[in-house]
């Protein structure tokens, strides 16, 4: 039995010596680096859907889709028909999360004083002059929100529901600030640029 152990030890030592005697120069080494680039790993699209809620007497759901590229799409849908009432896409900051407590009070306001909630959201540019407060007015006949180029501006200064006044402002590259005051009457509005 002892001789079996000795033979086994000699065999293992002999194998070790034969491996050590082989030079790396004797083995041709091939480059195993792939010529094909590694695929980029894309993270999945994140979709958040709100609980149903009522806006302008319509039962709705709010859907937020965050793409891997950084674009966020917001959709307001009729809960029953799944018809899109409002769609907005942009590369904006993610603090526009509808789960926050004040989200709906901040973004849904009556901006043309017709008794219906309108939608506003800020699109952030590289600086204040390229920011834009996007205003979508609720159209009661189509039951959709429509973008208002006339009311959208760099920022909203004041919403005066008593005097039916919406004051906005914009900045130019040379720090000139223009103020727009919009007085809204029954079915129309007038703009003054002081």
């Amino acid at each position: 039995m002892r001789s079996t152990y000795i033979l086994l030890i000699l065999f293992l030592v002999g194998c070790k010596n034969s491996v050590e005697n082989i030079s790396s120069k004797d083995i041709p080494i091939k480059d195993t680096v792939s010529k094909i680039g590694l695929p980029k790993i894309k993270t999945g699209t994140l979709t958040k859907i709100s609980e149903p809620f009522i806006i302008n007497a319509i039962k709705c759901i709010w859907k937020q889709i965050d793409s891997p590229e950084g674009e966020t799409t917001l959709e307001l849908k009729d809960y029953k028909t799944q018809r899109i009432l409002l769609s907005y896409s942009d590369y904006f900051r993610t603090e526009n999360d509808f789960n926050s407590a004040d989200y709906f009070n901040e973004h849904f306001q009556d901006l043309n004083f017709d008794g219906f909630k309108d939608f506003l959201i800020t699109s952030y540019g590289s600086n204040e002059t390229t920011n834009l407060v996007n205003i979508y007015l609720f159209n009661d006949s189509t039951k959709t929100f429509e973008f208002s180029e006339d009311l959208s501006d760099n920022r909203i200064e004041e919403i005066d529901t008593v005097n039916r006044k919406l004051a906005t402002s914009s900045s130019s590259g040379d720090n000139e600030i223009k103020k727009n005051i919009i007085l809204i009457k029954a079915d129309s509005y007038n703009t003054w640029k002081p």
Side-chain angles (χ1 to χ4, degrees):
M1 179 124 170
R2 187 185 237 196
S3 62
T4 310
Y5 287 123
I6 294 173
L7 282 171
L8 184 60
I9 292 172
L10 288 172
F11 177 75
L12 292 174
V13 171
C15 289
K16 181 179 176 199
N17 287 338
S18 65
V19 171
E20 290 175 353
N21 290 333
I22 297 174
S23 169
S24 62
K25 294 178 189 175
D26 298 335
I27 301 173
I29 298 175
K30 293 183 180 179
D31 186 3
T32 58
V33 177
S34 173
K35 302 285 188 238
I36 302 171
L38 294 174
K40 291 184 180 178
I41 298 171
K42 284 190 173 183
T43 56
T45 299
L46 177 64
T47 302
K48 298 184 245 179
I49 300 174
S50 73
E51 293 294 321
F53 62 95
I54 304 291
I55 191 92
N56 297 330
I58 303 170
K59 189 174 185 178
C60 301
I61 57 169
W62 193 243
K63 186 175 181 181
Q64 180 174 322
I65 306 158
D66 296 322
S67 77
E69 294 79 23
E71 181 179 30
T72 298
T73 300
L74 302 173
E75 290 180 346
L76 181 68
K77 290 185 171 187
D78 184 304
Y79 180 72
K80 292 179 184 175
T81 65
Q82 292 298 300
R83 183 172 71 100
I84 296 174
L85 310 176
L86 167 71
S87 182
Y88 175 78
S89 292
D90 200 356
Y91 293 87
F92 59 89
R93 298 180 191 154
T94 56
E95 66 258 13
N96 291 299
D97 184 5
F98 62 78
N99 289 318
S100 64
D102 62 343
Y103 184 87
F104 290 100
N105 292 331
E106 180 184 336
H107 293 286
F108 286 96
Q109 301 180 42
D110 187 3
L111 299 168
N112 62 349
F113 314 110
D114 62 354
F116 295 104
K117 298 280 185 179
D118 305 304
F119 178 73
L120 70 105
I121 191 164
T122 302
S123 172
Y124 294 97
S126 57
N127 58 47
E128 279 191 21
T129 63
T130 58
N131 290 351
L132 181 64
V133 176
N134 300 283
I135 296 177
Y136 291 77
L137 298 176
F138 182 73
N139 182 331
D140 188 36
S141 59
T142 63
K143 305 291 186 206
T144 59
F145 292 81
E146 300 169 357
F147 179 70
S148 172
E149 193 171 329
D150 292 336
L151 299 184
S152 298
D153 209 338
N154 287 126
R155 69 189 141 276
I156 294 178
E157 300 290 339
E158 178 186 11
I159 300 171
D160 182 350
T161 56
V162 174
N163 296 313
R164 299 171 61 94
K165 178 176 86 170
L166 176 67
T168 65
S169 66
S170 61
S171 303
S172 65
D174 55 352
N175 293 330
E176 179 185 342
I177 296 176
K178 297 180 198 171
K179 294 197 180 222
N180 301 314
I181 299 173
I182 300 142
L183 296 176
I184 300 175
K185 298 182 179 170
D187 287 328
S188 62
Y189 54 85
N190 298 314
T191 304
W192 285 269
K193 298 182 182 185

